[in-house]
Amino acid sequence: MAPADALRRIAFLLERAREPTYRVAAFRTAAHVVGGLSDAELDRRIATRTLTDLKGIGAKTAAVVVQAHAGEEPDYLADLVAQHPPVELEGAAGELRRALRGDLHTHSEWSDGGSPIREMALAAMGIGHEYLALTDHSPRLTVANGLTAERLARQLDVVAELNEELAPFRILTGIECDINADGSLDQTDELLARVDVVVASVHSDLRAPASQMTPRMLAAVENPHTDVLGHCTGRLLVERTQRGGKSQKPRPESAFDAEAVFRACVEHGTAVEINSRPERLDPPSRLLQLAADLGCEFAIDTDAHAPGQLDWQGAGCERAAAAGITADRVVNTRTAEELLA
């Protein structure tokens, strides 16, 4: 394993174990620094014991680099794997998890994620995914550095280049598009038609009455560009930190006519997202069961903002299994070609 890959793997495992952000960032930063060195420079730094002279390399990360460069498994990585072995899901939840081929809701450093697109893709490959939908935020969500039409167009070109490099793995182009107050989507029709996956989500006026929220969501679900209805209630179960360090308090579910919205999802072929983020777990169990009973299709997503979070789908699989949702009703159990068709 190359030193930079070993450092990224450690960052992934720390993130999956929900270790402090600063610890994850230390290994990710070190991976970036080491990845920029030539083989000759890396050899020289190791031979002269000057790795730690580089900004972003400390004693622990330097030890990982030295061992990985020598072809050994770094002790830090081995200890981490032993301390935090992957949780193997059993029964119907395990079957669902094994059937998943990708994730349809993820973010990169282009909006409010913390990692480059390539690192997100490599992490997805590392956990066995065949594809990853990149769904950075739309422009209205300025707090999340939402993508203007111009930035999204540039991102499509970047993804095309990465897909040539990473094939047969595929990054699906996409966007998490704000649902405006009138139910329209926060991006041009031309760009929405170009991307592979559109996740439509409400991020504003979440305490609006059901008389306003229901038609707003219905309009978005009925929009021919919408593929997935994201975190439908908008609830937050625990406090979280947003981009820039701003704290966001827990919030209750938005009020809307869930039966009407889910029936519209069935009618218009819009998948209901089972959001696996631990602070969301959206929709709540009673609404997830309602959507299942009404015949909805689903997307089990992580809403990942960093590579290690891509392994959070297990929580969504457990919740889906509890509601009796089988793999044939989960759209991201399909191949990329089937999904896009």
Side-chain angles (χ1 to χ4, degrees):
M1 183 181 294
D5 291 338
L7 291 163
R8 279 193 288 266
R9 179 63 178 164
I10 289 170
F12 176 92
L13 293 173
L14 288 170
E15 206 157 39
R16 189 179 70 181
R18 300 176 196 174
E19 293 286 337
T21 303
Y22 72 86
R23 192 171 297 160
V24 177
F27 284 92
R28 188 162 291 134
T29 298
H32 178 74
V33 172
V34 171
L37 300 178
S38 67
D39 289 342
E41 177 64 7
L42 182 56
D43 287 337
R44 187 186 73 79
R45 290 280 180 181
I46 291 174
T48 58
R49 300 183 180 181
T50 56
L51 276 171
T52 55
D53 291 348
L54 296 169
K55 186 178 180 180
I57 304 290
K60 290 182 180 178
T61 52
V64 170
V65 171
V66 171
Q67 289 181 305
H69 193 62
E72 304 168 4
E73 181 181 30
D75 294 336
Y76 196 105
L77 177 57
D79 291 344
L80 196 57
V81 171
Q83 292 170 20
H84 302 286
V87 177
E88 294 294 334
L89 299 179
E90 298 180 352
E95 292 177 10
L96 262 179
R97 179 64 188 86
R98 289 187 290 274
L100 291 177
R101 295 174 181 266
D103 194 327
L104 300 186
H105 186 171
T106 70
H107 299 273
S108 75
E109 64 180 3
W110 281 63
S111 63
D112 62 342
S115 296
I117 300 169
R118 188 175 186 276
E119 286 192 18
M120 294 295 289
L122 290 174
M125 293 168 67
I127 60 174
H129 281 338
E130 298 174 10
Y131 54 83
L132 175 82
L134 177 64
T135 54
D136 280 318
H137 289 285
S138 61
R140 189 176 187 276
L141 204 62
T142 54
V143 70
N145 193 30
L147 272 62
T148 62
E150 292 75 20
R151 291 180 66 216
L152 177 57
R154 290 203 304 273
Q155 188 183 80
L156 299 184
D157 293 335
V158 170
V159 169
E161 292 178 6
L162 285 170
N163 276 334
E164 289 187 11
E165 174 193 347
L166 301 176
F169 181 85
R170 182 168 179 178
I171 304 169
L172 302 178
T173 57
I175 187 169
E176 184 182 12
C177 205
D178 260 30
I179 301 173
N180 296 319
D182 62 358
S184 62
L185 299 184
D186 180 39
Q187 192 48 273
T188 67
D189 283 339
E190 186 270 332
L191 279 171
L192 292 176
R194 285 181 62 189
V195 300
D196 297 321
V197 178
V198 175
V199 178
S201 307
V202 175
H203 289 105
S204 61
D205 301 316
L206 290 161
R207 304 311 302 142
S211 60
Q212 295 176 19
M213 188 65 79
T214 301
R216 178 183 183 184
M217 295 176 70
L218 287 174
V221 165
E222 293 165 3
N223 189 305
H225 294 305
T226 300
D227 300 304
V228 179
L229 175 63
H231 48 71
C232 63
T233 77
R235 71 175 183 175
L236 287 179
L237 300 174
V238 296
E239 185 173 305
R240 68 174 183 176
T241 302
Q242 290 182 293
R243 184 186 179 97
K246 183 180 178 181
S247 179
Q248 194 171 28
K249 294 181 179 180
R251 61 173 176 247
E253 305 165 19
S254 295
F256 62 96
D257 185 338
E259 182 170 345
V261 169
F262 293 152
R263 287 191 184 279
C265 286
V266 174
E267 179 181 354
H268 295 279
T270 300
V272 174
E273 178 179 74
I274 302 176
N275 190 294
S276 303
R277 288 194 69 84
E279 73 268 29
R280 287 194 182 276
L281 299 179
D282 202 0
S285 296
R286 74 181 194 289
L287 295 185
L288 181 56
Q289 190 64 63
L290 175 63
D293 293 343
L294 290 173
C296 290
E297 290 192 317
F298 300 90
I300 300 177
D301 298 330
T302 60
D303 194 355
H305 286 63
Q309 297 173 10
L310 290 168
D311 210 27
W312 284 353
Q313 279 179 312
C317 292
E318 289 179 319
R319 300 184 69 241
I325 297 166
T326 50
D328 60 303
R329 297 177 62 185
V330 178
V331 296
N332 45 325
T333 63
R334 300 168 188 168
T335 65
E337 292 73 20
E338 292 167 343
L339 186 72
L340 296 176

